[in-house]
Amino acid sequence: MPHITVDYSAPLDRRGFARALHPIVVETVGARLAGCVTSFREIEETVVGDGADETALVHVDIALLPGRSAEAKGRLSAAVLALLPEYLKDTEGVTLTAEVRDLDPSYAKR
């Protein structure tokens, strides 16, 4: 079950992004579509460096069950960064980041 968390401070079409992202996750790392779950957390404020400039941020974290290669994870990160601009109102001054990682062995589901 891919756990996808999106932290954002830029205007983002959340539902549209999630609906476009889930099939990419399935295709890239062999997940099940029904298992893809995306949560969104709006960031009130982001301070970068000395805080002199206002910076908007969208960070996508995808946690997967272990077993995917580093190359597959890298392809998924690149696909996320390519997809994000399509769902942002404006990309000027917005930092986009993505991380694809393995879930910790302590992960449990009920």
Side-chain angles (χ1 to χ4, degrees):
M1 171 187 269
H3 288 276
I4 304 163
T5 305
V6 181
D7 295 313
Y8 68 98
S9 63
L12 174 68
D13 173 4
R14 296 180 306 269
R15 181 167 290 279
F17 175 69
R19 292 183 68 185
L21 176 62
H22 292 176
I24 291 171
V25 173
V26 169
E27 179 180 318
T28 308
V29 294
R32 290 183 319 107
L33 184 61
C36 293
V37 175
T38 300
S39 302
F40 293 90
R41 300 184 296 204
E42 188 170 9
I43 301 168
E44 259 185 62
E45 184 174 6
T46 303
V47 178
V48 176
D50 65 4
D53 297 321
E54 286 191 33
T55 303
L57 170 74
V58 180
H59 174 73
V60 180
D61 179 77
I62 302 175
L64 304 167
L65 291 172
R68 278 65 174 207
S69 69
E71 292 78 16
K73 292 176 196 173
R75 284 193 307 273
L76 183 52
S77 289
V80 168
L81 294 179
L83 180 66
L84 267 171
E86 297 177 37
Y87 294 90
L88 289 167
K89 184 175 181 180
D90 185 15
T91 58
E92 185 69 31
V94 180
T95 299
L96 306 177
T97 60
E99 178 183 11
V100 180
R101 60 182 175 81
D102 290 341
L103 285 164
D104 190 82
S106 65
Y107 171 76
K109 180 181 174 184
R110 184 178 133 183

